[in-house]
Amino acid sequence: MLGVAFAVLSALGFGAGQFLTQLGLRGGRLTALQALFINLAAACGGLVAALAVVSAAFAPPPFSLRGVAVFVIAGLMAPLLGRSINFLAIERIGATRTASLGMSESLFAAVIAYLVLGQAVSYVTAPGMLILVGGSILFINETSRAFGRTGTGARGSRPAPPGRAWTGAVLALTSGFFFAAAGVLRQVGMNLLPSALLGATIGTLVAFAVTTLHVIRRRQAGGLRL
């Protein structure tokens, strides 16, 4: 029951983050890369603070270099690739459609877990996967028709070029794939380094470091001033 409660809280947090991200990107004042930088900076601050508190209160988990390596790869997949592609999708089709298509993460996770970990798909999971596939197809078609009727992008501030909705839908699905793959890797990492908080901190710090270098290389740091 506690796991279900955490899953619900995670979904609420993710949904709120999608909405706030769209507000931040509205008007073109921030690029997707700058939004990713801010998002990861805030996540790093919170995770490092939480890790310091937990480390002071409890004994540190057993160290595993292989576990660290797995969490580094997971960090590159989810906090970096997953979020950056997710932000690009939000720019094109908005937070609601991106979050809805992001539910395909469950489908990808089931397939990847079966291929990598050998976890069988249950009789309950299989119909759910079919529903997700059918729902994703219907939602992509609805998104394309909606953008065709309005002729505007997600922000409503400029005309949407042909294929913008389909591009956004593909980006949202790709983001879901990377989040799912990272989730499976985290499960592997937890067997080697049994600390979800430490693993999340490692992955997020790696993603933040790569994003910072990219922001500097693209000379977009100046646009982050208040």
Side-chain angles (χ1 to χ4, degrees):
M1 193 64 186
L2 186 60
V4 174
F6 281 136
V8 172
L9 290 175
S10 174
L12 289 174
F14 188 75
Q18 297 276 68
F19 173 71
L20 292 174
T21 297
Q22 183 174 355
L23 290 180
L25 292 172
R26 179 171 293 173
R29 296 184 61 182
L30 289 176
T31 65
L33 178 60
Q34 291 170 330
L36 177 64
F37 175 85
I38 295 170
N39 186 282
L40 290 174
C44 284
L47 286 170
V48 170
L51 184 62
V53 173
V54 172
S55 298
F58 303 97
F63 181 78
S64 168
L65 190 59
R66 288 179 60 192
V68 171
V70 171
F71 280 117
V72 166
I73 297 173
L76 294 175
M77 281 190 170
L80 183 61
L81 291 175
R83 287 189 186 181
S84 59
I85 295 174
N86 186 269
F87 289 173
L88 292 173
I90 291 175
E91 280 189 316
R92 287 162 174 78
I93 60 176
T96 302
R97 291 182 173 90
T98 299
S100 298
L101 289 171
M103 290 189 295
S104 61
E105 177 185 345
S106 302
L107 169 63
F108 291 128
V111 174
I112 296 172
Y114 174 76
L115 295 175
V116 176
L117 303 177
Q119 294 181 354
V121 178
S122 68
Y123 292 108
V124 177
T125 304
M129 292 171 61
L130 294 176
I131 292 172
L132 281 173
V133 171
S136 297
I137 294 173
L138 292 174
F139 205 84
I140 291 173
N141 288 331
E142 184 277 332
T143 300
S144 180
R145 290 195 302 269
F147 275 67
R149 289 192 301 267
T150 60
T152 58
R155 300 172 193 160
S157 58
R158 55 186 176 184
R164 182 182 182 88
W166 280 95
T167 301
V170 171
L171 288 171
L173 293 173
T174 305
S175 173
F177 170 80
F178 281 117
F179 277 119
V184 174
L185 280 177
R186 289 192 187 104
Q187 183 175 348
V188 175
M190 284 292 294
N191 295 329
L192 301 170
L193 186 64
S195 173
L197 182 58
L198 178 58
T201 303
I202 292 171
T204 306
L205 285 173
V206 170
F208 179 64
V210 175
T211 303
T212 301
L213 293 175
H214 197 36
V215 167
I216 295 173
R217 186 179 68 85
R218 295 284 298 273
R219 298 181 180 179
Q220 294 190 15
L224 297 172
R225 293 192 299 268
L226 296 177

